[in-house]
Amino acid sequence: MNAAVIYWTKSGNTEKVALAIKEGLETSGTKVVFKTVENAKDIDFFDYDLICVGFPSYQWHPPDPVDTFLKTKFSQYRQEGHVKTAAPKISGRNALIFCTYSGPHTGLNEAIPAGKYVGQFFEHLGFTVLDEWYILSEFHGSEEMSTKGRMGDIRGRPNEGDLKKVKQGSANLLITISQTLPEVL
């Protein structure tokens, strides 16, 4: 099994989660390529059993570097004929979307649109989106947003406990993937 973890981070929250995913996958024997969005232009999604894409939610959207990266890849894949009517599923091609968020105004609902948006890039390619993970994270640069928002005091998040859950969840993904693979005789 091989995977690529591709992420964009500004404050370091998403990078912490990306590293936890990488570690969780590696403990289960998965070969993992680990790259920032800026350094992942050469990655072919179709070369991997699992593509993990992570980013923070910015006003209900992924940040511009993530959006540009995905739109560029999508355009390339459309030209290559990978985008088909009805988006037929491709066996063995899976995606995990992970989104860090602070949600100072309405909480988790601020992140879900960004995760759904990114998931559509993979669904249109025929990938199975195994899950969308939303990880509560500190709002760096604003104590008010990190302590008085709907999510309460989120300073220090993602914390050790959060990252432990991410590692375990990553290892469990492999079980899900292996159950969907056709048997080899």
Side-chain angles (χ1 to χ4, degrees):
M1 181 109 23
N2 63 4
V5 177
I6 304 166
Y7 70 97
W8 186 87
T9 194
K10 181 175 182 180
S11 66
N13 291 335
T14 307
E15 184 173 40
K16 288 178 190 176
V17 175
L19 283 166
I21 290 170
K22 176 183 181 286
E23 291 170 12
L25 292 172
E26 287 176 340
T27 61
S28 299
T30 300
K31 180 182 172 192
V32 180
V33 171
F34 187 77
K35 292 190 176 198
T36 62
V37 165
E38 295 85 358
N39 296 318
K41 292 174 179 73
D42 62 330
I43 285 185
D44 184 348
F45 295 162
F46 293 93
D47 286 345
Y48 296 89
D49 303 302
L50 176 64
I51 299 286
C52 306
V53 176
F55 52 90
S57 172
Y58 282 12
Q59 296 180 341
W60 321 289
H61 299 284
D64 287 341
V66 175
D67 196 31
T68 299
F69 170 74
L70 291 171
K71 285 180 177 177
T72 300
K73 291 300 247 183
F74 191 77
S75 177
Q76 170 194 337
Y77 290 135
R78 181 187 302 273
Q79 290 175 357
E80 293 173 2
H82 291 291
V83 179
K84 296 180 170 68
T85 303
K89 293 284 185 187
I90 300 171
S91 178
R93 295 296 167 257
N94 303 283
L96 169 69
I97 310 305
F98 63 101
C99 179
T100 55
Y101 73 100
S102 298
H105 303 291
T106 62
L108 177 61
N109 290 337
E110 294 180 45
I112 290 172
K116 296 288 185 198
Y117 175 80
V118 171
Q120 282 301 294
F121 284 90
F122 291 95
E123 292 223 16
H124 278 76
L125 294 174
F127 280 57
T128 298
V129 177
L130 297 174
D131 211 347
E132 298 162 4
W133 292 352
Y134 300 95
I135 301 93
L136 187 59
S137 301
E138 179 176 351
F139 193 115
H140 293 277
S142 174
E143 186 173 338
E144 178 181 2
M145 296 292 199
S146 286
T147 59
K148 297 181 180 175
R150 187 173 279 186
M151 306 312 296
D153 189 344
I154 57 172
R155 290 176 290 186
R157 304 287 298 268
N159 59 33
E160 198 172 301
D162 299 327
L163 297 174
K164 183 178 179 182
K165 288 178 188 175
V166 168
K167 284 180 195 177
Q168 184 60 51
S170 302
N172 291 342
L173 276 178
L174 298 177
I175 295 167
T176 302
I177 292 171
S178 66
Q179 291 172 347
T180 63
L181 293 175
E183 286 188 38
V184 179
L185 301 176

